[in-house]
Amino acid sequence: QVQLVESGGGLVQPGGSLTLSCVGSGSIEHFFGMSWYRQAPGKEREQVASIINSGHTNYVDAVKGRFTISRDNAKNTVWLQMSSLEVGDTAVYYCNGVGRDPTSQRYTEAWGQGTLVTVSS
């Protein structure tokens, strides 16, 4: 099973920028949809951005115009570019992949371990 590992989290001031990376241990092409979720203390996990193999993207309203999700299947990598960061963006960010297992042809899903983004002055 392909493992997903996030990196790039850290402390950033409001208005700053940060880019998160999610790297698969193997091919991520079978994950038709890749997405980033986040969870802040005391709040439910929410999907903030998603991308499918065609390149179509979706964003939650709160991050539209500020976040950009991208993927390069050849590099087994998904990125989340974040700009104009706000205190409300503080959360643990998780990478997620959904698709069909190439061997069993059954639905498959994978999650990364999470990376913490703290926006504070």
Side-chain angles (χ1 to χ4, degrees):
Q1 183 176 358
V2 174
Q3 309 294 310
L4 301 176
V5 180
E6 305 100 329
S7 63
L11 176 65
V12 62
Q13 294 184 343
S17 299
L18 204 62
T19 298
L20 307 181
S21 298
C22 171
V23 181
S25 61
S27 176
I28 64 168
E29 189 170 8
H30 65 282
F31 291 128
F32 304 134
M34 298 292 300
S35 62
W36 288 93
Y37 286 72
R38 68 184 182 187
Q39 186 167 24
K43 295 185 177 181
E44 294 186 345
R45 185 175 298 186
E46 66 171 345
Q47 186 182 71
V48 297
S50 64
I51 185 169
I52 59 177
N53 276 326
S54 68
H56 184 266
T57 59
N58 276 309
Y59 301 92
V60 69
D61 286 344
V63 308
K64 286 182 178 178
R66 300 190 298 117
F67 290 13
T68 300
I69 187 171
S70 59
R71 69 189 292 174
D72 187 341
N73 289 345
K75 296 182 178 179
N76 298 328
T77 303
V78 180
W79 296 271
L80 183 67
Q81 296 174 267
M82 305 181 292
S83 62
S84 301
L85 283 163
E86 304 168 356
V87 174
D89 295 320
T90 296
V92 176
Y93 285 72
Y94 299 90
C95 180
N96 169 258
V98 297
R100 186 167 60 185
D101 183 87
T103 300
S104 68
Q105 296 297 301
R106 300 179 69 180
Y107 171 83
T108 187
E109 184 174 20
W111 288 91
Q113 82 291 343
T115 185
L116 176 63
V117 173
T118 302
V119 184
S120 177
S121 60

